[in-house]
Amino acid sequence: MSYISDVIQATEKKNPNQPQFMQTVHEVLSSIAPAVEQQEAELRRFSILERLVEPDRQIMFRVVWEDDNGAYHVNRGYRIQHNNAIGPYKGGLRFHKDVNLDTMKFLAFEQTFKNSLTSLPMGGAKGGSDFDPTGKSDREIMRFCQAFMNELYRHIGPNLDVPAGDIGVGAREIGFLFGQYKKIVGDYENGVITGKGLSYGGSLIRPEATGFGATYFLSEVLKHEHESVKGKTFCLSGFGNVAWGAAKKITELGGKVITLSGPDGYIVDRDGVSGEKIDFMLKMRSSNRNRVQDYSDKFGCEFVPGKKVWGNVKADIYMPCATQNEILLEDAKKMVELGVPVLNEVSNMPSTNEAIAYLQSHGVLVAPSKAVNAGGVATSGLEMSQNSERLSWSKEEVDAQLKNIMANIHAKICDTLESYSMPYNLVAGANLAGFKKVAEAMLAQGVY
Ligand code: 2IT
């Protein structure tokens, strides 16, 4: 398809040394060929693909903050406002030592298609900093968040850009960020950030939403295969907020989570991560120690240092919940050898394109992250609705809406695939469905 390959090539040239961003561009653009073919003249005439791969705005700024010893540190802050064709920019903030422009651009690009899938009016953005929260005190975290907001505030707003959390940014950080925003602007501004605490405008179920939504989406996938979560074993990676929500819902539905992981290695708990062990994950996260060995120290299970779970532990379902590029081609090969039948991607792009291609060609069912984890941002959308209506919905109400949104995403993917007479390929279907809405909105609004 020459329009697509021309755009990929030109994008590569314009974005040297951005492998992560280019990987996403490849993944999305090569999936949408059937839609591009159908409408090529119009898409070309209005440069839709060229516009889609160029973020609306890339903001970078200096953040200087003081540690507990009175020493000053300089970090870099980012906000990539990728596309607002379907609604205000929306997406999380990531605080992690490896954050760079490439990571931010890849996440903002992904977010645009993910948000489109939710069927809520939200455009795509991402932000964050290369600040490393590991080992920092609460006061240091607060001072960093305040310094970060001292610049970010001028770029966001309830109808402009609504940030939220991501890796390294949870309830504590959102509180500090929001407090500083309010101090500077002198206005509640309809909440402006999502993932807020319940006492100041947050939504019930938002902390659980990414993990719950991922499990609801998986249930739809399994239903399609005449299967269910009940009785299945799960390997998860990570131990943060996302893995926590997933472990809760999987356990509630009768599945068993047997692994978690951290930068230090992984744990295997054959009795299942359930009950108080799930609560302990929250303590691990808020301790800022970033160590999964704390789990095996406390509960006495196996700990494997310095290795990844993938391809080393057999389970019915793999659910990566940690970060991008966890599953490489060599892991995919081991996974096929072990006979793991389903990969439900929860973290953003946990597998490389070549790993996904290998898995799919060897019969592994892959559910892509931009559909699977969309429940997080969708529930952020529900928080925005509650803030603007000045009320809060019950737990049951938000959970029912989340469940409904996840089922709709799955149904929309199936309908889209059917409309192109394509087989049950969730990766292609998610990209096609996400793209179609954004492209339509861009075409309708003209060239600006
Ligand atoms: O990757 C994601 O979708 C998020 N980190 C959540 C974004 C949001 O605005 O809730």
Side-chain angles (χ1 to χ4, degrees):
M1 190 73 219
S2 73
Y3 180 31
I4 289 177
S5 44
D6 287 355
V7 172
I8 291 178
Q9 263 181 31
T11 312
E12 222 144 52
K13 222 167 152 184
K14 263 196 195 173
N15 300 276
N17 309 318
Q18 297 194 359
Q20 191 67 56
F21 174 64
M22 283 315 303
Q23 176 161 280
T24 319
V25 168
H26 266 278
E27 194 236 67
V28 173
L29 294 199
S30 50
S31 291
I32 60 173
V36 173
E37 247 161 61
Q38 228 174 39
Q39 224 185 341
E40 183 167 343
E42 201 181 12
L43 296 174
R44 269 186 191 269
R45 169 151 162 67
F46 295 103
S47 301
I48 294 296
L49 298 189
E50 292 88 335
R51 286 158 63 192
L52 255 183
V53 295
E54 184 67 23
D56 290 357
R57 216 160 284 107
Q58 306 180 45
I59 302 156
M60 283 198 250
F61 50 94
R62 177 183 38 120
V63 184
V64 53
W65 58 281
E66 186 184 3
D67 70 19
D68 288 344
N69 299 319
Y72 294 101
H73 300 271
V74 177
N75 285 97
R76 185 171 291 173
Y78 299 87
R79 187 69 179 169
I80 309 299
Q81 297 176 331
H82 188 84
N83 186 294
N84 68 351
I86 64 177
Y89 300 108
K90 179 86 195 87
L93 298 171
R94 176 177 294 190
F95 293 167
H96 188 277
K97 62 178 171 41
D98 297 337
V99 160
N100 56 33
L101 183 61
D102 183 26
T103 324
M104 294 284 104
K105 282 175 68 178
F106 123 66
L107 289 164
F109 187 77
E110 276 291 288
Q111 197 80 41
T112 300
F113 299 95
K114 180 198 308 190
N115 293 5
S116 165
L117 285 173
T118 65
S119 60
L120 301 174
M122 301 182 291
K126 201 80 187 193
S129 175
D130 56 1
F131 170 72
D132 183 3
T134 312
K136 301 293 188 296
S137 70
D138 280 358
R139 293 172 61 219
E140 287 172 330
I141 299 271
M142 182 172 82
R143 281 196 297 274
F144 178 79
C145 289
Q146 291 173 340
F148 183 83
M149 188 51 81
N150 284 346
E151 173 64 29
L152 186 71
Y153 86 93
R154 65 183 79 246
H155 306 292
I156 63 175
N159 295 310
L160 170 62
D161 183 352
V162 183
D166 193 80
I167 294 170
V169 179
R172 168 184 46 198
E173 291 76 14
I174 294 291
F176 296 147
L177 289 162
F178 184 60
Q180 185 70 356
Y181 178 85
K182 218 151 37 94
K183 180 79 185 164
I184 300 168
V185 174
D187 196 310
Y188 183 79
E189 295 269 15
N190 267 349
V192 93
I193 304 179
T194 61
K196 295 184 292 297
L198 288 178
S199 56
Y200 60 97
S203 174
L204 287 159
I205 302 291
R206 177 63 190 92
E208 292 88 346
T210 309
F212 276 22
T215 313
Y216 293 147
F217 189 85
L218 174 73
S219 298
E220 296 297 318
V221 174
L222 294 177
K223 208 193 294 172
H224 183 271
E225 304 297 295
H226 311 290
E227 296 267 3
S228 76
V229 168
K230 200 171 163 54
K232 300 270 188 313
T233 51
F234 288 76
C235 281
L236 270 53
S237 61
F239 60 80
N241 170 262
V242 172
W244 167 76
K248 263 176 97 158
K249 187 52 74 180
I250 290 165
T251 308
E252 189 190 310
L253 297 180
K256 190 195 266 190
V257 174
I258 56 171
T259 66
L260 299 172
S261 77
D264 51 330
Y266 67 89
I267 62 100
V268 186
D269 186 347
R270 301 266 170 210
D271 297 333
V273 179
S274 63
E276 60 156 339
K277 297 171 178 173
I278 297 179
D279 300 335
F280 186 68
M281 291 165 74
L282 294 178
K283 286 201 184 118
M284 285 161 60
R285 154 75 179 102
S286 63
S287 76
N288 278 356
R289 285 163 57 82
N290 210 9
R291 250 170 65 107
V292 79
Q293 197 181 352
D294 289 356
Y295 181 100
S296 54
D297 287 350
K298 181 156 174 78
F299 300 112
C301 64
E302 184 187 352
F303 170 66
V304 181
K307 284 211 168 122
K308 298 195 264 195
V309 172
W310 318 125
N312 289 320
V313 184
K314 189 171 159 72
D316 298 312
I317 320 264
Y318 271 12
M319 284 186 36
C321 298
T323 190
Q324 69 272 9
N325 290 337
E326 294 182 46
I327 301 182
L328 312 177
L329 181 59
E330 70 231 40
D331 306 308
K333 286 183 179 165
K334 281 164 72 182
M335 203 177 140
V336 167
E337 244 171 73
L338 259 184
V340 178
V342 179
L343 170 63
N344 195 48
E345 296 188 327
V346 192
S347 48
N348 289 307
M349 283 200 92
S351 339
T352 59
N353 291 346
E354 35 173 19
I356 290 186
Y358 184 87
L359 292 172
Q360 287 185 321
S361 68
H362 287 79
V364 177
L365 187 50
V366 180
S369 56
K370 64 170 72 65
V372 175
N373 75 27
V377 72
T379 308
S380 281
L382 303 178
E383 181 173 335
M384 291 161 73
S385 301
Q386 293 168 75
N387 288 165
S388 59
E389 287 182 25
R390 294 283 190 267
L391 45 78
S392 57
W393 303 337
S394 68
K395 208 154 81 179
E396 291 72 24
E397 169 72 20
V398 180
D399 195 31
Q401 291 216 31
L402 169 62
K403 203 170 184 173
N404 194 31
I405 287 170
M406 298 316 293
N408 281 339
I409 295 175
H410 184 261
K412 189 156 47 177
I413 292 173
C414 291
D415 289 350
T416 305
L417 288 169
E418 209 173 296
S419 73
Y420 293 106
S421 309
M422 288 168 73
Y424 191 60
N425 176 343
L426 293 163
V427 177
N431 285 321
L432 278 162
F435 168 74
K436 276 184 78 87
K437 183 178 175 184
V438 177
E440 193 180 315
M442 288 172 76
L443 285 167
Q445 292 169 62
V447 180
Y448 51 85

